[in-house]
Amino acid sequence: SAVISQKPSRDICQRGTSLTIQCQVDSQVTMMFWYRQQPGQSLTLIATANQGSEATYESGFVIDKFPISRPNLTFSTLTVSNLSPEDSSIYLCSVDSTGSGNTIYFGEGSWLTVV
Amino acid sequence: QKEVEQNSGPLSVPEGAIASLNCTYSDRGSQSFFWYRQYSGKSPELIMSIYSNGDKEDGRFTAQLNKASQYVSLLIRDSQPSDSATYLCAAEYGNKLVFGAGTILRVKS
């Protein structure tokens, strides 16, 4: 399985600011994804991070709020902009290590609290 | 709308018993299904994946898939207190995962 590192693991941010989360994978992967898990909820896909092109966002998520970068096949960042308390969540990076959608692993997650 | 449904629980079983977790999905187009375990304060951990009708066994875990009924289940044999966690069922649609809300499992010693 792929080893996925996320930074920061936890952060407390002031409303109105932004937080950038980094995801580093120990091998080249085609597909990288960003999920959000709000308190007590299940996981919701934010977007697919595409290498060399814009991310593909799911319904309800927009680039202005969640800009994503994917400069190469092992790294991606998610920025959560203009933070509000409703953005307090766990943000998870995941990868499809086989490229076929059949094996999907998660990073350790980034716990964000907005005050 | 692609949905995955799970009973939120909690499901309580005594130590040593079989825990049975169930999941249904709405879209027949999905071909791959996954079970994740999530401990409190941790990220989801992949337990098993299943793609074909029938049973798939891995140690104490057995995943079952019935595509005609759009039903996926996970059996945990000889349940241990360390199995207490939230179990998430996910269905794959076009390289994306749709998750259920999760079932809380409590194994009592």
Side-chain angles (χ1 to χ4, degrees), chain B residues 35-101:
Chain B
W35 283 100
Y36 289 85
R37 177 175 62 197
Q38 187 174 27
Y39 293 113
S40 180
K42 299 292 186 181
S43 66
E45 172 192 9
L46 180 66
I47 299 175
M48 290 191 71
S49 57
I50 187 166
Y51 316 116
S52 304
N53 276 329
D55 295 359
K56 179 181 178 183
E57 187 173 319
D58 184 359
R60 294 187 297 113
F61 299 98
T62 299
Q64 300 173 318
L65 173 60
N66 183 326
K67 290 186 178 181
S69 301
Q70 296 176 236
Y71 180 89
V72 191
S73 66
L74 180 70
L75 301 177
I76 306 175
R77 290 181 299 281
D78 189 23
S79 295
Q80 301 297 308
S82 59
D83 294 325
S84 298
T86 298
Y87 288 80
L88 301 168
C89 174
E92 182 247 334
Y93 298 101
N95 285 333
K96 304 174 187 177
L97 294 185
V98 175
F99 283 84

Side-chain angles (χ1 to χ4, degrees), chain A residues 31 33 35 37 42-43 45 58 92 96 100-108 111, chain B residues 32 34 36 38 41-44 46 49 51 88 92 95-97 99-102:
Chain A
M31 310 290 285
F33 308 90
Y35 285 83
Q37 188 174 30
S42 190
L43 284 77
L45 180 63
E58 298 300 306
L92 294 148
D96 171 4
S100 62
N102 289 332
T103 315
I104 299 181
Y105 298 97
F106 285 88
E108 294 293 317
W111 268 247
Chain B
S32 304
F34 303 84
Y36 289 85
Q38 187 174 27
K42 299 292 186 181
S43 66
L46 180 66
S49 57
Y51 316 116
L88 301 168
E92 182 247 334
N95 285 333
K96 304 174 187 177
L97 294 185
F99 283 84

